[in-house]
Amino acid sequence: MTTELICAGFGGQGVLTIGKFLAKAGMKEGKNVSWLPSYGPEMRGGTANVSTVVSDEAIASPIVSFPDILVALNQPSIDKFAASIRAGGILIYNSDMCPHGCKREDISIIKAPMVEIAKEIGNQMVLNMLAIGIIIGKTDIIRYETMEDDLTSFMKSKNPELLELNLKAIKRGIEIGKQ
Amino acid sequence: MAKILMKGNEAVAEAAIRSGCRLYFAYPITPQSELIEYMARMMPKVNGTFLQAESEVSAINMVYGAAGCGKRVMTSSSSPGISLKMEGISYIAGAQLPAVIVNVQRGGPGLGDIQPAQGDYFQATKGGGHGDYRLIVMAPASVQEFADMASEAFDLADKYRNPVMILADGMLGQMMEPVEFKPAKTDEEIADMWRQHDSWCICPNEDGDKKHHHEINSLEIDPQVLEKHVNNIYKKYAEIEKNELHFEEYNLSDDNEILCVAWGTASRVVKSAINELTKTGKSVGLIRPINVWPYPYEAIAKAIGPKVKKVYVFELNTGQMLDDVKIAVKGKVPVDFWGKVGGIVFTPAEIKEKLEACF
Amino acid sequence: MEKIAYRPESLTKTPFTYCPGCLHGIAHRLIAEAIEEQGLTNKMTGVAPVGCSVFAYKFFNFDMAQAAHGRAPAVATGMKRSRPDMHVFTYQGDGDLAAIGTAEIVHAANRGERISVFFVNNAIYGMTGGQMAPTTLPEMKTTTSPYGRKTDDIGFPIRVSELLATLVAPYYIERVSLLSPTDIIKAKKVVSKAIQYNKEGRGFTFVELISTCPTNWGLDPIKSRDWAKDNMLPFFKPGCFRDKGEGVE
Ligand SMILES: Cc1ncc(C[n+]2csc(CCOP(=O)(O)OP(=O)(O)O)c2C)c(N)n1
Ligand code: SF4
Ligand SMILES: [Mg+2]
């Protein structure tokens, strides 16, 4: 199976990190992965996006034109990418910053006030973990345990509190994704 | 060793250090800056030399100096900076020095843009600098291959005493993929490698040795001598053409109705399209030159199966490798080309459409 | 009513592409105002460098050229020599002018080319994401001096104004700061003087503007200015190094 994702949002919202953690987790589960960011001057305060592919087969092109999953953290990202989601695909978006949402009916749409929830959990920075949780809850491209192991390996000694918040955010995301 | 998720720019730097590169001179430029930044962080940790030059011109001449002293040395840049290195590369080839140059190509000509492109194929494979010389040119298509090529490039450079270029692009530099590294060479192994150059490089006289006089030079003012020198270099190139052909065959079979030829990043997109077409029962093969100089002319000729009605070349330029494919095909079947420029990478869907139209 | 704030006509309506708090915009404005005030808009032309100000050719509202990294003074030489009736300036960063373009600036100055050079020194390569520049301060961390600039290994920052002032030909060389409103008012006078000398065809004029790069210094705009006042100004002291018009040799 091959899953192609695009994560998009404002630079600084952590979209590149979402893709990176997914790719890393996929790799740890023995899959083939690729992570291809947008780069250039528009990154300065502008929009950023990253194509991530997680696959059981060798990955030919790392460029995602028709994503199975789009994670959109702001409205411009929906406007730019939602039309290209494959029929039957998934749109996950941050309703705090996507006032107009998406009108497509042939995809499943999960919306959540991600900024709100992240703040509730205790730190806006965990927004990207929340998004990853939603993906884990909705699909089976990666497992929760892989994320937990990975985060624990580099955060446990350095910042145990942040680790807890991150794990909490993933779990919360999983709940949302399962609904 | 476990796999690490890494950007191409960083993976090639790490691999270079592991293969004994201890001197690196370069100048920042997008989209290869992660490479120079990685070297800035890591070279001090292995007691190596990292130096940011004041320009690409001086960086390549620092390489000339260090290579002349028999050390494993590398430089890297992106297209506009590589143009500035061309003079130095010609001197390095003329003086027969081993060195590795990485080009993370971007859109041109001129300042162009900073997105992936393959517009430097002619420059890399047909000269670029002045005079009769050749670069060995390796064209990776994945982060793993980019990294692996670093050590191969150093070995080839040493073997033939010739500069080797790794011709990547912005996509390979910026993307992350899992990569597995070969074990790092030990200090003794590195010292050993260096000593092997003592017969020709600039080095101190060992006590008790006959005093040597080595010249690092590309000047031969006497035409007869220069002629001999160039002919000798070309004998070496003939060897390289015999020994260092390197290509990948993908989905080749007697059923192929189209044979694609693509290199580097472009080849990945073509593979995706071929996979899609295979599902619909259409048979398309691909030859991917991994070294683009020396070029696998014969392999391409041989890959044209009995049912192939067209050879299709896809590049991120306006048709550069195309010329080499035409030389290989010798007019036996029509050769078609489609490319994208401006730093835009074509999509599998676009390639698929082009190929489908041939059936 | 008197209009006290307006966009000079010598600037196009294209919005600047600089980061919030970046001083490149102020430098552009000072130059544009000076050109306009001296009625030169129709006879002016400039050369944009490679650096964050690479798009300067879109911002100045007269004919502009864009040059290869560091080569603006050579391009400007070609322009001035082919159209002596026009007034030519270059706008360059510290990487562009003091690293890759060292030869071009030294020789343009040494020939006394009748051009103006505006040199924006922010001690870093802004455009490419914060690498070390020839003007990076001792011990300053950048992405290519991650352990701080070590002067025993890579030397000290280059004081370009002082360096050029060792040459005989340049007509006017002055360094100013853009770090406070008072400094900016002073800078405006200096920029105007350079443009005026240029208009009068007196010779090579050079203005170094001490600036910031909040984005790559990792500081907000206010803290950037404070940092620059504390760290850059002691090393790059503002002052006039040559003014043949005023007898400063
Ligand atoms: C030949 C060449 N080498 C390198 C580059 C990449 N490059 C673009 S801008 C720049 C540095 C700009 O720094 P500076 O002149 O200080 O300007 P700033 O962005 O700080 O204003 C570099 C190295 C290039 N475009 N061309
Ligand atoms: S990177 Fe620095 S110099 Fe460039 S626009 Fe931003 S703040 Fe200004
Ligand atoms: Mg600068």
Short mmCIF file of all heavy atoms in Angstrom, two decimals, chain B residues 27-30 33-34 36-45 49-57 81 84 106 110-111 114, chain C residues 49-50 54 66-69 71 95-96 98-102 125 127-133 142-147 153-154:
data_model
loop_
_atom_site.label_atom_id
_atom_site.label_comp_id
_atom_site.label_asym_id
_atom_site.label_seq_id
_atom_site.Cartn_x
_atom_site.Cartn_y
_atom_site.Cartn_z
N TYR B 27 31.07 27.93 -0.93
CA TYR B 27 30.44 29.23 -0.77
C TYR B 27 28.93 28.98 -0.74
O TYR B 27 28.43 28.15 -1.50
CB TYR B 27 30.83 30.11 -1.97
CG TYR B 27 30.38 31.54 -1.85
CD1 TYR B 27 31.07 32.44 -1.05
CD2 TYR B 27 29.26 31.99 -2.54
CE1 TYR B 27 30.65 33.76 -0.93
CE2 TYR B 27 28.83 33.30 -2.41
CZ TYR B 27 29.54 34.18 -1.62
OH TYR B 27 29.12 35.48 -1.50
N PRO B 28 28.18 29.65 0.14
CA PRO B 28 26.75 29.33 0.28
C PRO B 28 25.95 29.63 -0.99
O PRO B 28 26.23 30.61 -1.67
CB PRO B 28 26.27 30.28 1.39
CG PRO B 28 27.50 30.81 2.05
CD PRO B 28 28.59 30.74 1.04
N ILE B 29 25.00 28.79 -1.25
CA ILE B 29 24.02 29.06 -2.31
C ILE B 29 22.84 28.09 -2.14
O ILE B 29 23.05 26.92 -1.82
CB ILE B 29 24.64 28.95 -3.72
CG1 ILE B 29 23.63 29.39 -4.80
CG2 ILE B 29 25.14 27.56 -4.02
CD1 ILE B 29 24.25 29.63 -6.17
N THR B 30 21.65 28.58 -2.33
CA THR B 30 20.45 27.76 -2.29
C THR B 30 20.33 27.03 -3.63
O THR B 30 20.62 27.65 -4.66
CB THR B 30 19.21 28.66 -2.11
OG1 THR B 30 19.51 29.60 -1.06
CG2 THR B 30 17.97 27.86 -1.74
N SER B 33 22.71 24.88 0.53
CA SER B 33 23.34 25.44 1.73
C SER B 33 23.39 24.47 2.91
O SER B 33 24.30 24.55 3.74
CB SER B 33 22.66 26.75 2.12
OG SER B 33 23.01 27.75 1.18
N GLU B 34 22.44 23.52 2.99
CA GLU B 34 22.50 22.55 4.09
C GLU B 34 23.79 21.74 4.04
O GLU B 34 24.27 21.26 5.06
CB GLU B 34 21.31 21.58 4.06
CG GLU B 34 19.96 22.22 4.34
CD GLU B 34 19.35 22.84 3.09
OE1 GLU B 34 19.96 22.79 2.01
OE2 GLU B 34 18.24 23.39 3.22
N ILE B 36 26.88 22.82 2.98
CA ILE B 36 27.98 23.61 3.55
C ILE B 36 27.77 23.78 5.06
O ILE B 36 28.72 23.71 5.84
CB ILE B 36 28.12 24.97 2.79
CG1 ILE B 36 29.16 25.89 3.44
CG2 ILE B 36 26.87 25.74 2.64
CD1 ILE B 36 29.51 27.09 2.55
N GLU B 37 26.50 23.91 5.47
CA GLU B 37 26.23 24.09 6.90
C GLU B 37 26.54 22.81 7.69
O GLU B 37 27.02 22.86 8.81
CB GLU B 37 24.78 24.55 7.11
CG GLU B 37 24.58 25.99 6.63
CD GLU B 37 23.13 26.44 6.50
OE1 GLU B 37 22.22 25.62 6.74
OE2 GLU B 37 22.92 27.60 6.15
N TYR B 38 26.27 21.67 7.08
CA TYR B 38 26.58 20.40 7.72
C TYR B 38 28.09 20.26 7.88
O TYR B 38 28.60 19.87 8.93
CB TYR B 38 26.03 19.24 6.88
CG TYR B 38 26.05 17.90 7.58
CD1 TYR B 38 24.99 17.51 8.38
CD2 TYR B 38 27.14 17.04 7.44
CE1 TYR B 38 25.00 16.27 9.02
CE2 TYR B 38 27.16 15.80 8.08
CZ TYR B 38 26.09 15.43 8.87
OH TYR B 38 26.10 14.21 9.51
N MET B 39 28.81 20.62 6.83
CA MET B 39 30.27 20.55 6.88
C MET B 39 30.81 21.50 7.95
O MET B 39 31.77 21.18 8.65
CB MET B 39 30.87 20.89 5.51
CG MET B 39 30.65 19.80 4.47
SD MET B 39 31.50 18.28 4.93
CE MET B 39 31.59 17.42 3.37
N ALA B 40 30.19 22.68 8.07
CA ALA B 40 30.64 23.65 9.08
C ALA B 40 30.51 23.06 10.48
O ALA B 40 31.37 23.26 11.34
CB ALA B 40 29.82 24.94 8.98
N ARG B 41 29.45 22.30 10.69
CA ARG B 41 29.24 21.69 12.02
C ARG B 41 30.15 20.49 12.24
O ARG B 41 30.69 20.30 13.32
CB ARG B 41 27.78 21.24 12.17
CG ARG B 41 26.77 22.36 12.26
CD ARG B 41 25.43 21.85 12.83
NE ARG B 41 24.83 20.78 12.05
CZ ARG B 41 24.10 20.96 10.95
NH1 ARG B 41 23.89 22.18 10.48
NH2 ARG B 41 23.56 19.95 10.31
N MET B 42 30.28 19.66 11.21
CA MET B 42 30.90 18.35 11.41
C MET B 42 32.39 18.28 11.18
O MET B 42 33.08 17.49 11.83
CB MET B 42 30.20 17.31 10.51
CG MET B 42 28.76 17.09 10.88
SD MET B 42 28.56 16.75 12.65
CE MET B 42 26.83 16.43 12.74
N MET B 43 32.94 19.04 10.24
CA MET B 43 34.36 18.93 9.95
C MET B 43 35.23 19.15 11.20
O MET B 43 36.18 18.39 11.42
CB MET B 43 34.78 19.89 8.83
CG MET B 43 34.65 19.30 7.45
SD MET B 43 35.70 17.84 7.23
CE MET B 43 35.48 17.55 5.48
N PRO B 44 34.90 20.16 12.03
CA PRO B 44 35.74 20.34 13.23
C PRO B 44 35.75 19.10 14.13
O PRO B 44 36.74 18.82 14.80
CB PRO B 44 35.09 21.52 13.95
CG PRO B 44 34.30 22.24 12.91
CD PRO B 44 33.86 21.19 11.92
N LYS B 45 34.66 18.32 14.09
CA LYS B 45 34.56 17.15 14.96
C LYS B 45 35.47 16.02 14.51
O LYS B 45 35.73 15.10 15.28
CB LYS B 45 33.12 16.65 15.03
CG LYS B 45 32.21 17.69 15.66
CD LYS B 45 30.85 17.12 16.00
CE LYS B 45 30.03 18.22 16.66
NZ LYS B 45 28.66 17.86 16.88
N THR B 49 39.08 20.20 7.84
CA THR B 49 39.07 21.62 7.54
C THR B 49 37.78 21.99 6.85
O THR B 49 37.43 21.43 5.81
CB THR B 49 40.24 21.98 6.58
OG1 THR B 49 41.46 21.71 7.27
CG2 THR B 49 40.20 23.44 6.18
N PHE B 50 37.07 22.93 7.45
CA PHE B 50 35.93 23.56 6.78
C PHE B 50 36.32 25.00 6.55
O PHE B 50 36.74 25.69 7.48
CB PHE B 50 34.67 23.50 7.65
CG PHE B 50 33.63 24.48 7.16
CD1 PHE B 50 32.82 24.15 6.09
CD2 PHE B 50 33.51 25.75 7.72
CE1 PHE B 50 31.90 25.07 5.59
CE2 PHE B 50 32.59 26.67 7.23
CZ PHE B 50 31.78 26.32 6.17
N LEU B 51 36.17 25.46 5.33
CA LEU B 51 36.45 26.87 5.09
C LEU B 51 35.43 27.43 4.11
O LEU B 51 35.24 26.88 3.02
CB LEU B 51 37.87 27.04 4.52
CG LEU B 51 38.38 28.47 4.46
CD1 LEU B 51 38.52 29.08 5.84
CD2 LEU B 51 39.72 28.51 3.75
N GLN B 52 34.76 28.49 4.54
CA GLN B 52 33.86 29.19 3.64
C GLN B 52 34.70 30.17 2.83
O GLN B 52 35.28 31.11 3.39
CB GLN B 52 32.77 29.91 4.42
CG GLN B 52 31.82 30.68 3.51
CD GLN B 52 30.71 31.37 4.28
OE1 GLN B 52 30.22 30.85 5.28
NE2 GLN B 52 30.32 32.55 3.83
N ALA B 53 34.77 29.93 1.55
CA ALA B 53 35.59 30.78 0.69
C ALA B 53 34.86 32.09 0.41
O ALA B 53 33.66 32.20 0.66
CB ALA B 53 35.89 30.06 -0.61
N GLU B 54 35.58 33.06 -0.14
CA GLU B 54 34.94 34.34 -0.46
C GLU B 54 34.17 34.26 -1.78
O GLU B 54 33.43 35.18 -2.11
CB GLU B 54 35.98 35.47 -0.49
CG GLU B 54 36.94 35.46 -1.67
CD GLU B 54 38.17 34.58 -1.42
OE1 GLU B 54 38.09 33.67 -0.57
OE2 GLU B 54 39.19 34.80 -2.09
N SER B 55 34.35 33.18 -2.50
CA SER B 55 33.60 32.99 -3.75
C SER B 55 33.79 31.56 -4.20
O SER B 55 34.68 30.86 -3.71
CB SER B 55 34.10 33.93 -4.84
OG SER B 55 35.38 33.51 -5.28
N GLU B 56 32.98 31.14 -5.16
CA GLU B 56 33.14 29.81 -5.73
C GLU B 56 34.46 29.72 -6.47
O GLU B 56 35.06 28.65 -6.55
CB GLU B 56 31.99 29.50 -6.68
CG GLU B 56 30.63 29.34 -6.00
CD GLU B 56 29.91 30.65 -5.79
OE1 GLU B 56 30.52 31.72 -6.01
OE2 GLU B 56 28.72 30.62 -5.40
N VAL B 57 34.89 30.84 -7.05
CA VAL B 57 36.16 30.83 -7.78
C VAL B 57 37.29 30.45 -6.83
O VAL B 57 38.12 29.58 -7.13
CB VAL B 57 36.44 32.21 -8.41
CG1 VAL B 57 37.81 32.21 -9.09
CG2 VAL B 57 35.35 32.57 -9.41
N GLY B 81 26.93 28.97 -9.13
CA GLY B 81 28.24 28.83 -8.51
C GLY B 81 29.11 27.84 -9.25
O GLY B 81 30.33 27.99 -9.31
N LEU B 84 30.98 29.40 -12.02
CA LEU B 84 32.20 30.09 -11.59
C LEU B 84 33.34 29.11 -11.33
O LEU B 84 34.50 29.49 -11.38
CB LEU B 84 31.92 30.89 -10.31
CG LEU B 84 31.10 32.16 -10.50
CD1 LEU B 84 30.84 32.83 -9.16
CD2 LEU B 84 31.84 33.13 -11.42
N ARG B 106 19.81 24.02 -9.95
CA ARG B 106 18.58 24.81 -9.85
C ARG B 106 18.26 25.40 -11.22
O ARG B 106 19.05 25.25 -12.17
CB ARG B 106 18.74 25.91 -8.81
CG ARG B 106 19.84 26.91 -9.13
CD ARG B 106 20.05 27.85 -7.96
NE ARG B 106 19.99 29.25 -8.36
CZ ARG B 106 20.22 30.27 -7.52
NH1 ARG B 106 20.48 30.03 -6.24
NH2 ARG B 106 20.15 31.51 -7.94
N GLY B 110 21.36 32.13 -15.98
CA GLY B 110 21.57 33.31 -15.14
C GLY B 110 21.20 32.98 -13.71
O GLY B 110 21.41 31.87 -13.23
N LEU B 111 20.58 33.94 -13.06
CA LEU B 111 20.20 33.72 -11.67
C LEU B 111 19.02 32.74 -11.58
O LEU B 111 18.87 32.04 -10.59
CB LEU B 111 19.84 35.06 -11.02
CG LEU B 111 19.99 35.21 -9.52
CD1 LEU B 111 21.31 34.66 -9.02
CD2 LEU B 111 19.85 36.68 -9.12
N ILE B 114 15.43 28.92 -7.74
CA ILE B 114 16.13 28.01 -6.83
C ILE B 114 15.46 26.63 -6.77
O ILE B 114 15.75 25.83 -5.90
CB ILE B 114 16.24 28.61 -5.41
CG1 ILE B 114 14.86 28.99 -4.88
CG2 ILE B 114 17.16 29.81 -5.41
CD1 ILE B 114 14.89 29.49 -3.44
N PRO C 49 21.77 43.73 -6.70
CA PRO C 49 22.78 42.71 -6.45
C PRO C 49 22.12 41.34 -6.36
O PRO C 49 20.95 41.18 -6.68
CB PRO C 49 23.27 43.10 -5.07
CG PRO C 49 21.99 43.49 -4.38
CD PRO C 49 21.14 44.16 -5.44
N VAL C 50 22.89 40.35 -5.88
CA VAL C 50 22.29 39.10 -5.44
C VAL C 50 22.37 39.10 -3.92
O VAL C 50 23.44 39.24 -3.35
CB VAL C 50 23.01 37.89 -6.04
CG1 VAL C 50 22.46 36.60 -5.47
CG2 VAL C 50 22.87 37.90 -7.55
N VAL C 54 17.85 41.53 -4.03
CA VAL C 54 17.92 41.15 -5.45
C VAL C 54 16.75 41.73 -6.24
O VAL C 54 16.88 42.04 -7.41
CB VAL C 54 17.98 39.60 -5.59
CG1 VAL C 54 16.73 38.94 -5.06
CG2 VAL C 54 18.22 39.19 -7.03
N GLN C 66 19.92 43.92 -13.20
CA GLN C 66 20.21 42.97 -12.14
C GLN C 66 21.53 42.30 -12.52
O GLN C 66 21.72 41.94 -13.67
CB GLN C 66 19.08 41.95 -12.02
CG GLN C 66 19.00 41.19 -10.70
CD GLN C 66 20.11 40.17 -10.56
OE1 GLN C 66 20.47 39.51 -11.51
NE2 GLN C 66 20.67 40.07 -9.36
N ALA C 67 22.43 42.17 -11.55
CA ALA C 67 23.77 41.66 -11.87
C ALA C 67 24.04 40.32 -11.21
O ALA C 67 23.37 39.95 -10.26
CB ALA C 67 24.83 42.66 -11.41
N ALA C 68 25.04 39.61 -11.71
CA ALA C 68 25.48 38.38 -11.04
C ALA C 68 26.07 38.75 -9.67
O ALA C 68 26.46 39.89 -9.42
CB ALA C 68 26.53 37.67 -11.90
N HIS C 69 26.12 37.75 -8.81
CA HIS C 69 26.54 37.95 -7.41
C HIS C 69 27.91 38.65 -7.35
O HIS C 69 28.91 38.13 -7.83
CB HIS C 69 26.63 36.57 -6.76
CG HIS C 69 26.65 36.59 -5.27
ND1 HIS C 69 26.16 37.63 -4.51
CD2 HIS C 69 27.10 35.67 -4.37
CE1 HIS C 69 26.31 37.35 -3.23
NE2 HIS C 69 26.87 36.17 -3.11
N ARG C 71 28.98 41.31 -8.90
CA ARG C 71 29.52 41.96 -10.10
C ARG C 71 28.89 43.31 -10.40
O ARG C 71 29.19 43.93 -11.44
CB ARG C 71 29.37 41.07 -11.33
CG ARG C 71 29.69 39.61 -11.12
CD ARG C 71 31.12 39.36 -10.70
NE ARG C 71 31.34 37.94 -10.49
CZ ARG C 71 32.22 37.41 -9.65
NH1 ARG C 71 32.98 38.20 -8.90
NH2 ARG C 71 32.35 36.11 -9.53
N GLY C 95 27.73 40.31 1.69
CA GLY C 95 28.25 39.12 1.03
C GLY C 95 28.57 39.45 -0.42
O GLY C 95 29.63 39.12 -0.94
N ASP C 96 27.65 40.14 -1.04
CA ASP C 96 27.78 40.50 -2.45
C ASP C 96 29.02 41.38 -2.67
O ASP C 96 29.83 41.12 -3.55
CB ASP C 96 26.52 41.27 -2.87
CG ASP C 96 26.39 41.42 -4.36
OD1 ASP C 96 25.96 40.47 -5.02
OD2 ASP C 96 26.74 42.51 -4.87
N ALA C 98 31.50 42.45 -0.24
CA ALA C 98 32.77 42.28 0.48
C ALA C 98 33.33 40.87 0.39
O ALA C 98 34.44 40.61 0.85
CB ALA C 98 32.57 42.68 1.95
N ALA C 99 32.55 39.92 -0.19
CA ALA C 99 33.08 38.57 -0.35
C ALA C 99 33.34 38.33 -1.84
O ALA C 99 34.42 38.62 -2.35
CB ALA C 99 32.12 37.53 0.21
N ILE C 100 32.29 37.88 -2.51
CA ILE C 100 32.49 37.46 -3.90
C ILE C 100 32.82 38.64 -4.81
O ILE C 100 33.49 38.48 -5.82
CB ILE C 100 31.23 36.68 -4.39
CG1 ILE C 100 31.49 35.93 -5.68
CG2 ILE C 100 30.03 37.59 -4.52
CD1 ILE C 100 30.43 34.89 -6.01
N GLY C 101 32.38 39.84 -4.42
CA GLY C 101 32.58 40.99 -5.29
C GLY C 101 33.72 41.91 -4.88
O GLY C 101 33.75 43.07 -5.30
N THR C 102 34.65 41.41 -4.08
CA THR C 102 35.73 42.28 -3.58
C THR C 102 36.53 42.90 -4.72
O THR C 102 36.86 44.08 -4.69
CB THR C 102 36.68 41.49 -2.67
OG1 THR C 102 35.93 40.54 -1.96
CG2 THR C 102 37.38 42.41 -1.70
N TYR C 125 24.77 36.77 5.67
CA TYR C 125 24.09 36.51 4.40
C TYR C 125 22.62 36.33 4.71
O TYR C 125 22.23 35.30 5.26
CB TYR C 125 24.61 35.23 3.74
CG TYR C 125 26.00 35.32 3.15
CD1 TYR C 125 26.87 36.33 3.53
CD2 TYR C 125 26.42 34.40 2.21
CE1 TYR C 125 28.14 36.41 2.98
CE2 TYR C 125 27.69 34.47 1.66
CZ TYR C 125 28.55 35.48 2.05
OH TYR C 125 29.79 35.55 1.50
N MET C 127 19.81 36.52 2.50
CA MET C 127 19.04 35.80 1.47
C MET C 127 19.14 34.28 1.58
O MET C 127 18.15 33.57 1.42
CB MET C 127 19.56 36.24 0.10
CG MET C 127 18.89 35.56 -1.06
SD MET C 127 17.25 36.25 -1.24
CE MET C 127 16.87 35.78 -2.90
N THR C 128 20.34 33.78 1.82
CA THR C 128 20.54 32.34 1.77
C THR C 128 20.33 31.68 3.12
O THR C 128 20.60 30.48 3.28
CB THR C 128 21.95 32.02 1.23
OG1 THR C 128 22.86 32.99 1.75
CG2 THR C 128 21.98 32.08 -0.27
N GLY C 129 19.91 32.46 4.12
CA GLY C 129 19.53 31.83 5.38
C GLY C 129 20.55 31.91 6.50
O GLY C 129 20.60 31.04 7.36
N GLY C 130 21.36 32.98 6.50
CA GLY C 130 22.14 33.25 7.70
C GLY C 130 23.53 32.65 7.77
O GLY C 130 23.98 32.22 8.84
N GLN C 131 24.26 32.62 6.64
CA GLN C 131 25.65 32.16 6.70
C GLN C 131 26.58 33.32 7.07
O GLN C 131 26.20 34.48 7.03
CB GLN C 131 26.06 31.55 5.35
CG GLN C 131 25.33 30.27 4.98
CD GLN C 131 23.97 30.52 4.36
OE1 GLN C 131 23.64 31.64 3.98
NE2 GLN C 131 23.15 29.49 4.26
N MET C 132 27.81 32.95 7.37
CA MET C 132 28.80 33.94 7.76
C MET C 132 29.13 34.88 6.60
O MET C 132 29.26 34.44 5.46
CB MET C 132 30.07 33.24 8.22
CG MET C 132 31.06 34.16 8.87
SD MET C 132 32.61 33.30 9.18
CE MET C 132 33.22 33.10 7.53
N ALA C 133 29.29 36.15 6.91
CA ALA C 133 29.71 37.13 5.91
C ALA C 133 31.12 37.60 6.29
O ALA C 133 31.57 37.38 7.41
CB ALA C 133 28.74 38.31 5.91
N THR C 142 26.82 31.93 13.21
CA THR C 142 25.98 31.89 12.01
C THR C 142 25.90 30.42 11.60
O THR C 142 26.56 29.58 12.21
CB THR C 142 26.61 32.70 10.85
OG1 THR C 142 27.79 32.00 10.40
CG2 THR C 142 26.98 34.11 11.27
N THR C 143 25.14 30.12 10.55
CA THR C 143 25.00 28.70 10.20
C THR C 143 26.30 28.11 9.66
O THR C 143 26.47 26.90 9.66
CB THR C 143 23.88 28.48 9.16
OG1 THR C 143 24.22 29.21 7.99
CG2 THR C 143 22.53 28.93 9.68
N THR C 144 27.21 28.95 9.18
CA THR C 144 28.51 28.40 8.74
C THR C 144 29.64 28.78 9.70
O THR C 144 30.81 28.48 9.42
CB THR C 144 28.87 28.82 7.30
OG1 THR C 144 28.72 30.24 7.20
CG2 THR C 144 27.97 28.15 6.28
N SER C 145 29.30 29.44 10.79
CA SER C 145 30.27 29.59 11.89
C SER C 145 29.52 29.16 13.16
O SER C 145 29.29 29.96 14.05
CB SER C 145 30.81 31.02 12.00
OG SER C 145 29.76 31.96 12.20
N PRO C 146 29.11 27.87 13.19
CA PRO C 146 28.21 27.43 14.26
C PRO C 146 28.84 27.51 15.64
O PRO C 146 28.13 27.53 16.64
CB PRO C 146 27.88 25.97 13.88
CG PRO C 146 28.97 25.55 12.97
CD PRO C 146 29.44 26.77 12.26
N TYR C 147 30.17 27.55 15.67
CA TYR C 147 30.83 27.66 16.97
C TYR C 147 31.34 29.08 17.21
O TYR C 147 32.17 29.33 18.07
CB TYR C 147 31.98 26.64 17.05
CG TYR C 147 31.51 25.24 16.66
CD1 TYR C 147 31.92 24.64 15.47
CD2 TYR C 147 30.61 24.54 17.46
CE1 TYR C 147 31.45 23.39 15.09
CE2 TYR C 147 30.13 23.29 17.09
CZ TYR C 147 30.56 22.72 15.90
OH TYR C 147 30.08 21.48 15.53
N ASP C 153 41.28 31.72 12.87
CA ASP C 153 41.10 30.81 11.75
C ASP C 153 40.63 31.54 10.50
O ASP C 153 41.08 31.25 9.39
CB ASP C 153 40.08 29.72 12.13
CG ASP C 153 40.00 28.61 11.10
OD1 ASP C 153 41.05 28.27 10.52
OD2 ASP C 153 38.90 28.09 10.87
N ILE C 154 39.70 32.47 10.68
CA ILE C 154 39.14 33.12 9.50
C ILE C 154 39.20 34.64 9.57
O ILE C 154 38.50 35.34 8.83
CB ILE C 154 37.68 32.66 9.25
CG1 ILE C 154 36.97 32.41 10.55
CG2 ILE C 154 37.64 31.43 8.37
CD1 ILE C 154 35.59 31.85 10.39
#
